[in-house]
Amino acid sequence: MRGNSVEILKFNNNEELSEKAAEVIINKINEKPKLTLGLATGSTPMQTYKNLVKAYKDGKVSFKEVITFNLDEYLGISPTNPNSYTYFMNEHLLHHVDIDENNVHIPTGVGENSEKECAQYERLIKEEGPIDLQILGMGLNGHIAFNEPGTPITARTHVVELDETTVQANSRFFNGEKELVPTHAITMGIGTIMEAKEILFLVQGEHKAEGLRKVLYGDVTEMIPASILQKHPNVTVLTDINL
Ligand code: F6R
């Protein structure tokens, strides 16, 4: 990355990457028990969450005062649906640690008024934020959260239509059935994400190599949303990709 404030940590595999990611998160929580933590879903952070659950069970960290904000949620899927991001978070992390459910924030995908939900989510982040540490993954097309190519960098939490490539990529969670993947989602905007004090950017797998190189060393462009991270003052990239 061009910015001096960016650190790139390279790992041999996802296991090592996830060990480090969990270590960073645990240290942050131990330094500041009332940490505001931004969370992502997807394949990438799964092992990290597993490590966090283990650390909690081993008495190395407590989530009692931690406040969480998830990046996104599908529209039209209820929180109890196994494909919802709420369900994902509960399964992989939240239900296995001592977090106070009142401190957990995930956009609601089944509210009557999704625009209102977006505004409310922004308000909550303002009230309880800023986000101290944001866990972030990257889509194949360079998306962050569900900010697809072309999203303005100033965008706040909003409703999006998912890119064809994202629907295709995420169909693996829907038994490969593309038609079952929701077409819309609520996502934190790029502007919202950029206000996090620190970002832990996890990018795993050779299939994302070309995308990551562009993100780190190419131009900052709305057509590659993650490239904006070059302008963030405190990003750590954790990757197993040979750059
Ligand atoms: C998930 C999210 C997405 C994913 C990205 C990578 O909350 O916001 O941007 O981080 O699509 O997904 P995986 O990790 O499944 O490759």
Side-chain angles (χ1 to χ4, degrees):
M1 237 182 221
R2 294 168 176 176
N4 294 331
S5 50
V6 172
E7 196 180 359
I8 300 175
L9 304 179
K10 164 78 174 67
F11 300 90
N12 292 319
N13 51 51
N14 189 39
E15 224 152 76
E16 287 178 16
L17 183 161
S18 307
E19 206 169 293
K20 180 65 182 177
E23 184 191 307
V24 172
I25 299 165
I26 291 163
N27 287 343
K28 287 272 164 204
I29 297 174
N30 287 335
E31 271 166 33
K32 182 181 178 186
K34 207 172 166 11
L35 193 81
T36 303
L37 181 62
L39 296 170
T41 59
S43 315
T44 312
M46 275 163 69
Q47 184 62 40
T48 299
Y49 294 152
K50 219 176 190 172
N51 296 343
L52 290 180
V53 171
K54 182 168 184 318
Y56 162 69
K57 291 195 168 147
D58 291 345
K60 293 183 179 148
V61 67
S62 165
F63 290 78
K64 240 187 174 87
E65 296 181 74
V66 171
I67 298 166
T68 64
F69 281 96
N70 261 82
L71 287 169
D72 39 22
E73 178 58 286
Y74 287 123
L75 268 194
I77 283 195
S78 89
T80 53
N81 183 316
N83 284 315
S84 74
Y85 283 175
T86 307
Y87 191 96
F88 176 101
M89 286 315 306
N90 289 339
E91 280 294 295
H92 291 281
L93 179 67
L94 303 171
H95 279 178
H96 307 288
V97 296
D98 60 344
I99 198 157
D100 177 347
E101 62 177 33
N102 296 314
N103 289 340
V104 171
H105 307 290
I106 304 176
T108 305
V110 285
E112 272 174 21
N113 184 338
S114 32
E115 299 299 336
K116 213 167 142 192
E117 173 67 14
C118 294
Q120 157 93 342
Y121 205 63
E122 278 289 321
R123 195 175 53 73
L124 276 174
I125 296 173
K126 281 239 154 62
E127 274 172 22
E128 302 189 34
I131 292 172
D132 293 303
L133 180 66
Q134 175 67 57
I135 315 300
L136 203 60
M138 183 186 86
L140 265 182
N141 60 3
H143 75 207
I144 46 175
F146 273 136
N147 293 283
E148 301 287 20
T151 308
I153 54 170
T154 50
R156 313 301 307 186
T157 300
H158 62 293
V159 172
V160 282
E161 180 169 4
L162 304 187
D163 234 39
E164 178 58 27
T165 56
T166 303
V167 171
Q168 180 66 49
N170 289 6
S171 66
R172 70 193 192 280
F173 294 113
F174 293 78
N175 294 325
E177 294 187 55
K178 237 172 75 178
E179 308 68 45
L180 299 181
V181 183
T183 53
H184 290 75
I186 289 182
T187 184
M188 255 189 223
I190 297 176
T192 321
I193 294 168
M194 288 294 279
E195 281 169 14
K197 288 203 234 163
E198 185 174 348
I199 293 178
L200 210 52
F201 188 42
L202 313 180
V203 186
Q204 190 261 318
E206 275 305 312
H207 59 301
K208 293 185 184 169
E210 202 192 320
L212 184 60
R213 280 182 209 118
K214 283 188 193 155
V215 162
L216 298 180
Y217 307 117
D219 292 336
V220 174
T221 160
E222 286 179 354
M223 294 320 291
I224 306 176
S227 65
I228 189 67
L229 295 175
Q230 291 185 30
K231 298 209 182 278
H232 191 280
N234 192 354
V235 180
T236 307
V237 184
L238 273 63
T239 188
D240 60 357
I241 295 170
N242 288 311
L243 290 164

